[in-house]
Amino acid sequence: MTQTVLREDFDGWTQLTLNRPDKLNSLTVEMFAELRAHVEQIAGQIAGHAGIGCVVLRGAGKCFSAGHDLGGISEGETPPSKGWHSETLRLLEKLPIPVVAAVHGHCYTGALEVALAADFIIASENARFGDTHAKFALTPVWGMSVRLPRRVGLAAAKRLMFTAQMFGADEAVRIGLAEYSVPDADFDSEIARLASQIAAQSHFSHAAIKRLLDVADAKPADDALIREWMDSEGRGPDMEERIGAFMKK
């Protein structure tokens, strides 16, 4: 049986690839189950100090993903439990290492909800984004109403959700949905460069920073600042080694 999510391990980082290229990587229960299994495996390996410092999520073939498989919706697909898709994306989001969504081609609706569960998005110049829930008389259940306004602001999120408009990489960068765009020809090399750069930093710091940011998100500034100094995990076990290496330069 063909795997619908592929895993590749590189030096210090892991790539997960949505793998239904003949169907534009449209998202099914089967694909989510495989994604969840990979995420849970990675979480276990990190807990066992496996040395994974970054996860990149991307799509095979022509695009990241065209979104939720509408055929599955019309046929009444049945997830294992209520809220299971959303829970799966939260597991991805809560990995204690940076997660990057690398988007090329289509990234619509459910696919955008998947990408938003990453810490940030980088986009190939040919990337196209959009939320089409309203076009098909659907409402978000995978996190769009929470993560999109936190990423781009409430007014921009409303505009995108109410109009169901498609937009390209330049607009995605302008509104803060994507961090930056990359020429199509350089996309693969930029993914490897970025993931390697992230993985080279302290994995202890990554985990601690993600926890602090998650706690601080949407809290009043004073509460978040108190939590930062009270809950900070301080110095990591690799601090002296890293400072020593820097000082020797």
Side-chain angles (χ1 to χ4, degrees), residues 208 211-212 215 223-234:
R211 279 190 289 270
L212 287 170
V215 168
D223 290 349
L225 289 167
I226 291 170
R227 289 263 64 85
E228 182 183 72
W229 67 259
M230 286 187 66
D231 293 345
S232 175
E233 296 180 45

Side-chain angles (χ1 to χ4, degrees), residues 18-247:
L18 305 177
N19 188 43
R20 294 183 74 210
D22 57 323
K23 299 293 184 180
L24 298 180
N25 300 322
S26 57
L27 302 164
T28 63
V29 169
E30 177 189 12
M31 182 179 283
F32 257 78
E34 291 190 24
L35 176 62
R36 187 185 184 108
H38 282 301
V39 170
E40 289 175 340
Q41 182 185 46
I42 291 168
Q45 291 176 318
I46 294 169
H49 306 287
I52 304 170
C54 180
V55 172
V56 173
L57 181 64
R58 63 180 309 187
K62 297 179 179 179
C63 67
F64 181 78
S65 170
H68 197 169
D69 190 319
L70 294 179
I73 295 175
S74 64
E75 293 168 9
E77 66 178 12
T78 305
S81 61
K82 187 175 182 180
W84 177 80
H85 288 90
S86 181
E87 181 183 70
T88 299
L89 295 182
R90 185 59 172 154
L91 290 173
L92 174 67
E93 186 173 47
K94 287 180 72 66
L95 282 173
I97 55 175
V99 178
V100 179
V103 173
H104 74 293
H106 309 308
C107 183
Y108 305 142
T109 318
L112 181 54
E113 289 177 294
V114 172
L116 283 166
D119 291 300
F120 61 89
I121 298 168
I122 64 169
S124 177
E125 285 183 338
N126 72 356
R128 297 281 294 171
F129 300 88
D131 174 31
T132 61
H133 280 103
K135 181 176 181 179
F136 298 107
L138 298 169
T139 53
V141 291
W142 295 359
M144 184 75 79
S145 67
V146 177
R147 294 189 181 97
L148 185 61
R150 291 184 181 190
R151 189 70 59 93
V152 304
L154 184 59
K158 286 180 176 180
R159 171 174 61 85
L160 299 176
M161 297 174 81
F162 293 162
T163 62
Q165 76 177 77
M166 304 300 180
F167 55 97
D170 287 347
E171 175 70 359
V173 173
R174 187 190 72 80
I175 64 176
L177 177 65
E179 288 305 300
Y180 59 94
S181 65
V182 183
D184 301 341
D186 299 333
F187 196 50
D188 289 347
S189 60
E190 175 58 16
I191 290 170
R193 185 206 65 78
L194 175 65
S196 296
Q197 182 180 18
I198 291 171
Q201 313 311 314
S202 171
H203 300 181
F204 166 86
S205 292
H206 286 158
I209 289 167
K210 282 196 70 166
R211 279 190 289 270
L212 287 170
L213 291 173
D214 194 44
V215 168
D217 191 26
K219 282 186 175 294
D222 287 341
D223 290 349
L225 289 167
I226 291 170
R227 289 263 64 85
E228 182 183 72
W229 67 259
M230 286 187 66
D231 293 345
S232 175
E233 296 180 45
R235 299 174 178 180
D238 52 346
M239 184 204 72
E240 290 186 7
E241 178 186 352
R242 287 175 171 273
I243 292 178
F246 177 79
M247 295 298 290

